Amino acid sequence: QVQLVESGGGSVQAGGSLRLSCATSGRTLSTYRMGWFRQGPGKEREFVATIMWSGGSIYYADSVKGRFTMSRDNAKNTVYLQMNSLKVEDTAVYYCALKTSGLGSPRIGYNHWGQGTQVTVSS
């Protein structure tokens, strides 16, 4: 069984920064990709960023490109999302997700999810 636990959310003013962490545990040997997704108020969940567990092959949503940086520390079984220049529209619950298959788009097919962490950006 795989567990994903997000942390680092909070409230920040527009223009500020936050770093989210996602610690993985359990049967993670089959991890292929890790991703970050978010769901804003009244919106559907959307893709934010993804990285191969072996490193590289990083993709971002256009809305966060140049502001967010995803990274991973395999020794700690943790992935991070550094969020800079935050905007009010970045307000959402942010979810960490794990994908065990390399099939399909890097943006879909995630089969394990964390509980989410709230990020609130005020003007």
Side-chain angles (χ1 to χ4, degrees), residues 9-54:
S11 297
V12 65
Q13 287 194 323
S17 299
L18 284 173
R19 188 177 82 153
L20 305 183
S21 300
C22 174
T24 68
S25 61
R27 300 176 64 180
T28 59
L29 290 179
S30 58
T31 300
Y32 183 76
R33 276 192 170 275
M34 297 292 299
W36 285 99
F37 294 77
R38 67 186 182 185
Q39 186 166 16
K43 298 180 181 179
E44 294 187 352
R45 187 170 61 193
E46 63 176 358
F47 165 79
V48 174
T50 180
I51 187 171
M52 282 185 64
W53 191 243
S54 60

Side-chain angles (χ1 to χ4, degrees), residues 12 24 28 32 57 66 77 82 87 106-107 110 115 120 123:
V12 65
T24 68
T28 59
Y32 183 76
S57 188
N77 287 331
Q82 177 66 44
K87 303 177 181 180
R107 301 172 182 233
Y110 290 78
Q115 294 298 309
T120 302
S123 59

